[in-house]
């Protein structure tokens, strides 16, 4: 566990006067970050909680302070209601009063549970923030639409133009069909023509950005990184930027550019959609946490589809950042509540949640309510129980069971030290670049293992991983830009990985001698489970009865199908039964019996 930034050593002299004397050296100072363990809340005025440093010193932490941290009262409420104490809490901008009471400006509950920045931002609308929209979005089906496809195309244009700003539209557009051929196949010819016409405007604006506007705003394209990822445990968030400008040689004037292909709707006073603005504010916090406040980025939102002033400045406002962190805490509370079986939250997902809203929100809330309310008692119990099960699995994958054999899930990336990872075969360290085809659409890096690479590390072909430069044993994903990747080949001497994002800027790869690979996690795989469950709830009754075993599967007709010659007689018989099954076929067997093949 990381140690707090401030430690108080109290000698064995338990008098109030001596305690004040010991604290005198740190009174009236502010500390950016203090990690504590909330262990109780039993103060008479309900405005203080007992917490401990990880050195086991009891401390008072005050909340509900007007004009300081009362905006985090919803976080305190869910902490008391949904979490089982003790709970790890990060205190932000902490003052210590004359009585030794900690007075933070902000709270981050369960910071090891990293929430995606986009998920937090999407809870913000023009009317304010609604955390329950996070739960709703888990279940809603994903559908491709022309606007969504144009957004993907705009991102592709930016990536390509950053590599080669001289490209022309007719030269680059045919490549977009390779992005997702299946998605394009569902569109009509009219849709395709509309997508092509609208995307041409995005191309013109993005090309102007790369050739001129970025430079006018002190952004050097040569020092930009495309879609870099970061983890920030201090704020309990993770995210992937569209463009990050950082000249590592000078650390001067870094910048964040977030690309949006849509138009503004009820923008704030800076001409920005509120959810886009919040997203950028959280990225700002994330960059500052990873680089230990050495970088103070300038933040922009790039609206590639508007006709004027496409690149818009997003000034930092601390109040908005803390409001976003307060919502982030409530999203974690929703996850924990669902994992504990508090599925009554699902009944709140109806138009009554936002009675004055129409349009897309009304449509989505109405769809969920209609599907959820018409289920039978058994179907709803199955739906609720399975939802809780997914939330539990997700929580275990992210934070594990802390304190039990170091099973920390994704959080082991920073909770376990380097030697623990080596002993548990969880890291491929001291990798050295052999070759890197950065110009390819799917960039591949071949690493040589060194004498210090653990030959027994538990990695295999197909694993998803995070890659980051390694200089000293204290380096982790928390103080580095990380690269999401997949292992495509691995043997005794080399490891080959494919980066998830194209990288034209190879300066970081050229500067670092050693690299680490560690296991990663796809949050989207859990979202797929929720969506599959919601799809099940919309099945016809006969299919739901079949899957819930209320109705038996139909007997199949005898059809002779010649099995492949390489199968054994028993495997051939099973093959025959599987292909002739009418409703479904359940295949079960121990490892090594040929189920997969």
């Amino acid at each position: 566990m990381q140690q707090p930034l401030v430690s108080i050593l109290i000698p064995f002299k338990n008098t109030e006067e001596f305690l004040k004397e010991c604290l005198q050296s740190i009174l009236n100072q502010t500390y950016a970050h203090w990690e504590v363990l909330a262990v109780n809340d039993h103060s008479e005025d309900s405005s203080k909680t007992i917490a401990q440093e990880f050195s086991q010193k009891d401390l008072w932490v005050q909340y509900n302070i007007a004009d300081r941290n009362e905006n985090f009262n919803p976080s305190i409420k869910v902490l008391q209601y949904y979490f089982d104490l003790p709970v790890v809490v990060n205190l932000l901008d902490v003052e210590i009063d004359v009585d030794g009471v900690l007075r933070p400006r902000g709270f981050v509950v369960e910071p090891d549970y990293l929430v995606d920045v986009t998920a937090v931002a999407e809870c913000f609308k023009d009317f304010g923030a609604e955390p329950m929209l996070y739960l709703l979005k888990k279940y809603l089906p994903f559908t491709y639409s022309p606007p969504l496809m144009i957004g993907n195309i705009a991102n592709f244009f930016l990536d390509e133009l950053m590599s080669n700003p001289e490209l022309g539209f007719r030269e680059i557009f045919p490549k977009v069909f390779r992005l997702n051929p299946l998605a394009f196949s569902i569109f009509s010819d009219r849709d395709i023509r509309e997508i092509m016409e609208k995307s041409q405007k995005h191309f013109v604006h993005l090309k102007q950005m790369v050739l001129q506007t970025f430079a006018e705003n002190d952004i050097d394209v040569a020092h930009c990184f495309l879609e870099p990822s970061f983890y920030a445990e201090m704020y309990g968030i993770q995210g992937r930027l569209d463009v990050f400008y950082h000249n590592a040689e000078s650390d001067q004037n870094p910048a964040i550019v977030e690309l949006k292909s849509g138009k503004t709707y009820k923008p704030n006073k800076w001409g920005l959609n509120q959810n886009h603005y919040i997203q950028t504010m959280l990225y700002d916090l994330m960059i500052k946490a990873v680089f230990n406040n050495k970088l103070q980025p300038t933040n922009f939102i790039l609206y590639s589809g508007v006709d004027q002033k496409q690149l818009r400045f997003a000034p930092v406002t601390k109040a908005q950042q803390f409001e976003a962190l307060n919502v982030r805490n409530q999203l974690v509370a929703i996850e924990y509540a669902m994992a504990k079986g508090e599925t009554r939250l699902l009944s709140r997902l109806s138009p009554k949640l936002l009675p004055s809203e129409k349009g897309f929100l009304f449509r989505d809330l109405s769809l969920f309510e209609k599907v959820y309310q018409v289920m039978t008692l058994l179907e709803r119990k199955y739906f609720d129980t399975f939802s809780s099960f997914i939330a539990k699995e997700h929580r275990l994958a992210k934070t594990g069971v802390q304190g039990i054999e170091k099973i920390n899930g994704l959080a082991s990336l920073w909770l376990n030290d380097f030697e623990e990872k080596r002993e548990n075969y969880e890291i491929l360290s001291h990798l050295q670049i052999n070759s890197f085809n950065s110009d390819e659409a799917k960039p591949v890096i071949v690493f040589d293992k060194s004498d210090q690479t653990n030959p027994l590390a538990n990695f295999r072909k197909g694993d998803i991983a995070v890659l980051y430069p390694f200089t000293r044993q204290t380096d982790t994903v928390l103080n580095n830009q990380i690269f999401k990747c997949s292992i495509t080949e691995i043997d005794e001497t080399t490891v080959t990985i494919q980066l998830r994002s194209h990288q034209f800027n190879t300066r970081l790869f050229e500067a670092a001698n050693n690299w680490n690979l560690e296991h990663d996690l796809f949050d989207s795989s859990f979202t797929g489970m929720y969506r599959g469950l919601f799809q099940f709830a919309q099945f016809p009754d006969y299919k739901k009865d079949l899957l819930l075993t209320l109705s038996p599967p139909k007997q199949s007709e005898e059809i002779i199908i010649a099995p492949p010659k390489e199968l054994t007689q028993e495997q051939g018989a099973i093959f025959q039964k599987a292909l002739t099954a009418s409703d479904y076929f359940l295949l079960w067997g121990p490892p090594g019996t040929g189920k997969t093949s």
Side-chain angles (χ1 to χ4, degrees):
M1 184 67 71
Q2 291 183 327
Q3 290 300 310
L5 298 185
V6 181
S7 295
I8 304 175
L9 178 63
I10 305 298
F12 291 105
K13 187 174 181 182
N14 193 21
T15 66
E16 184 176 352
E17 293 75 15
F18 192 81
L19 177 61
K20 289 183 179 181
E21 181 182 328
C22 292
L23 292 171
Q24 200 64 46
S25 62
I26 58 172
L27 295 181
N28 302 318
Q29 297 186 42
T30 300
Y31 301 92
H33 170 217
W34 200 339
E35 190 177 37
V36 299
L37 197 66
V39 295
N40 210 336
D41 185 6
H42 61 176
S43 58
E44 294 180 0
D45 59 1
S46 298
S47 65
K48 292 181 182 178
T49 184
I50 289 181
Q52 294 177 340
E53 303 178 86
F54 292 102
S55 57
Q56 303 302 309
K57 164 85 181 84
D58 281 356
L59 305 163
W60 281 106
V61 179
Q62 189 167 7
Y63 57 89
N64 194 27
I65 306 174
D67 298 324
R68 184 163 183 84
N69 60 26
E70 64 181 349
N71 53 321
F72 276 89
N73 282 353
S75 293
I76 300 299
K77 184 177 180 180
V78 296
L79 173 65
Q80 296 166 329
Y81 190 77
Y82 290 121
F83 292 87
D84 297 323
L85 298 177
V87 175
V88 177
V89 179
N90 277 351
L91 309 179
L92 307 176
D93 293 355
V94 186
E95 286 183 354
I96 305 175
D97 68 15
V98 293
D99 297 316
V101 175
L102 309 185
R103 295 160 48 91
R105 284 194 182 276
F107 303 82
V108 179
V109 182
E110 287 286 21
D112 292 322
Y113 195 106
L114 301 189
V115 179
D116 194 83
V117 164
T118 306
V120 180
E122 287 305 309
C123 295
F124 285 80
K125 305 298 178 185
D126 58 279
F127 56 79
E130 176 47 69
M132 288 297 292
L133 296 178
Y134 168 76
L135 183 59
L136 173 68
K137 193 170 183 180
K138 285 179 178 291
Y139 294 97
L140 294 180
F142 180 82
T143 56
Y144 277 101
S145 62
L148 180 63
M149 186 58 71
I150 290 172
N152 293 338
I153 292 172
N155 276 280
F156 173 72
F157 284 165
L158 182 60
D159 291 356
E160 293 293 301
L161 289 167
M162 295 284 274
S163 301
N164 182 5
E166 301 304 322
L167 287 171
F169 179 74
R170 292 192 176 277
E171 182 183 0
I172 194 175
F173 188 78
K175 298 179 181 179
V176 305
F177 293 102
R178 302 176 196 165
L179 297 177
N180 195 331
L182 288 177
F184 273 106
S185 69
I186 68 173
F187 294 130
S188 66
D189 291 345
R190 182 180 177 181
D191 288 334
I192 297 294
R193 284 194 294 271
E194 180 186 352
I195 289 171
M196 183 175 180
E197 291 169 3
K198 290 185 176 181
S199 62
Q200 190 164 7
K201 181 202 290 191
H202 293 266
F203 178 84
V204 172
H205 292 159
L206 291 170
K207 188 166 185 175
Q208 182 185 11
M209 287 293 133
V210 176
L211 290 174
Q212 179 182 347
T213 312
F214 281 166
E216 292 173 352
N217 289 273
D218 298 322
I219 298 174
D220 183 353
V221 171
H223 289 277
C224 288
F225 293 93
L226 297 174
E227 300 188 2
S229 296
F230 298 93
Y231 292 149
E233 177 270 346
M234 180 185 296
Y235 300 111
I237 54 177
Q238 64 182 21
R240 184 183 66 191
L241 284 63
D242 285 331
V243 177
F244 178 47
Y245 164 59
H246 177 213
N247 186 343
E249 298 171 2
S250 64
D251 280 345
Q252 296 298 311
N253 304 319
I256 293 169
V257 179
E258 183 62 21
L259 172 62
K260 298 298 178 184
S261 60
K263 297 181 180 180
T264 56
Y265 176 73
K266 294 185 179 180
N268 60 21
K269 61 183 178 181
W270 297 293
L272 309 170
N273 283 2
Q274 186 62 8
N275 57 330
H276 302 160
Y277 178 66
I278 291 295
Q279 185 177 355
T280 311
M281 290 300 94
L282 289 173
Y283 284 151
D284 177 86
L285 284 177
M286 193 169 65
I287 293 298
K288 289 173 180 174
V290 171
F291 292 95
N292 198 24
N293 282 320
K294 292 178 181 178
L295 300 185
Q296 301 294 318
T298 304
N299 308 309
F300 298 95
I301 297 177
L302 170 54
Y303 288 102
S304 60
V306 301
D307 294 323
Q308 294 180 337
K309 197 181 178 183
Q310 291 84 27
L311 191 65
R312 303 183 181 184
F313 177 53
V316 173
T317 54
K318 200 76 171 178
Q320 295 278 290
Q321 289 178 324
F322 277 9
E323 182 181 359
L325 292 179
N326 179 45
V327 170
R328 176 259 165 210
N329 293 338
Q330 294 175 71
L331 302 193
V332 177
I334 289 173
E335 292 283 2
Y336 276 53
M338 291 293 291
K340 290 172 64 176
E342 296 275 353
T343 51
R344 55 188 172 179
L345 289 173
L346 296 172
S347 61
R348 293 180 55 193
L349 297 178
S350 80
K352 297 175 184 177
L353 180 69
L354 300 169
S356 61
E357 284 302 306
K358 303 300 178 184
F360 293 121
L361 284 179
F362 178 83
R363 178 202 64 189
D364 293 342
L365 288 166
S366 297
L367 172 63
F368 186 90
E369 181 184 49
K370 179 182 177 182
V371 172
Y372 190 70
Q373 295 300 331
V374 299
M375 284 190 281
T376 66
L377 184 62
L378 176 63
E379 290 167 358
R380 190 180 302 176
K381 190 167 185 178
Y382 175 79
F383 188 94
D384 291 353
T385 304
F386 211 122
S387 294
S388 180
F389 172 76
I390 298 170
K392 287 176 184 175
E393 289 294 304
H394 198 184
R395 177 180 173 183
L396 285 171
K398 291 180 84 73
T399 60
V401 186
Q402 297 179 22
I404 300 178
E405 298 179 359
K406 293 291 182 181
I407 303 174
N408 292 320
L410 183 70
S412 63
L413 290 173
W414 56 89
L415 291 177
N416 296 0
D417 63 33
F418 180 78
E419 285 304 320
E420 287 173 330
K421 293 173 185 177
R422 278 181 58 87
E423 292 172 4
N424 294 330
Y425 314 110
E426 295 173 342
I427 187 170
L428 277 168
S429 66
H430 297 87
L431 300 174
Q432 298 169 352
I433 294 179
N434 177 305
S435 63
F436 181 17
N437 62 342
S438 58
D439 296 331
E440 299 294 327
K442 296 181 178 179
V444 171
I445 307 177
V446 179
F447 289 101
D448 291 327
K449 295 181 180 179
S450 67
D451 294 338
Q452 294 172 281
T453 305
N454 188 341
L456 301 178
N458 184 23
F459 290 80
R460 59 184 178 177
K461 181 178 178 179
D463 284 353
I464 57 172
V466 290
L467 174 72
Y468 60 93
F470 180 63
T471 304
R472 46 182 125 29
Q473 291 193 7
T474 54
D475 283 341
T476 71
V477 295
L478 295 184
N479 55 19
N480 277 290
Q481 175 181 335
I482 61 175
F483 297 89
K484 302 273 187 169
C485 61
S486 300
I487 297 176
T488 57
E489 296 291 341
I490 184 168
D491 56 33
E492 294 179 357
T493 59
T494 62
V495 182
T496 304
I497 61 105
Q498 180 178 302
L499 296 179
R500 214 167 296 165
S501 302
H502 174 61
Q503 295 296 328
F504 72 94
N505 180 2
T506 60
R507 285 176 170 82
L508 182 57
F509 296 96
E510 294 163 0
N513 294 323
N514 293 297
W515 293 79
N516 285 354
L517 266 179
E518 297 193 56
H519 289 289
D520 194 15
L521 167 69
F522 270 148
D523 285 329
S524 58
S525 61
F526 293 94
T527 303
M529 296 182 199
Y530 285 109
R531 287 174 177 165
L533 190 58
F534 191 64
Q535 186 179 20
F536 156 81
Q538 299 173 79
F539 282 165
D541 290 341
Y542 82 90
K543 186 174 285 189
K544 285 188 285 189
D545 289 346
L546 196 65
L547 295 175
L548 292 173
T549 68
L550 298 177
S551 300
K554 296 176 184 176
Q555 292 295 321
S556 57
E557 297 179 9
E558 286 292 334
I559 303 175
I560 304 301
I561 301 175
K565 295 180 180 180
E566 62 266 23
L567 298 184
T568 66
Q569 184 176 356
E570 183 182 10
Q571 290 173 336
I574 296 172
F575 177 84
Q576 168 92 13
K577 288 181 179 180
L579 290 189
T580 58
S582 177
D583 291 315
Y584 60 81
F585 185 81
L586 180 62
L587 180 62
W588 180 90
T593 52
K595 297 186 300 299
T596 303
S597 57

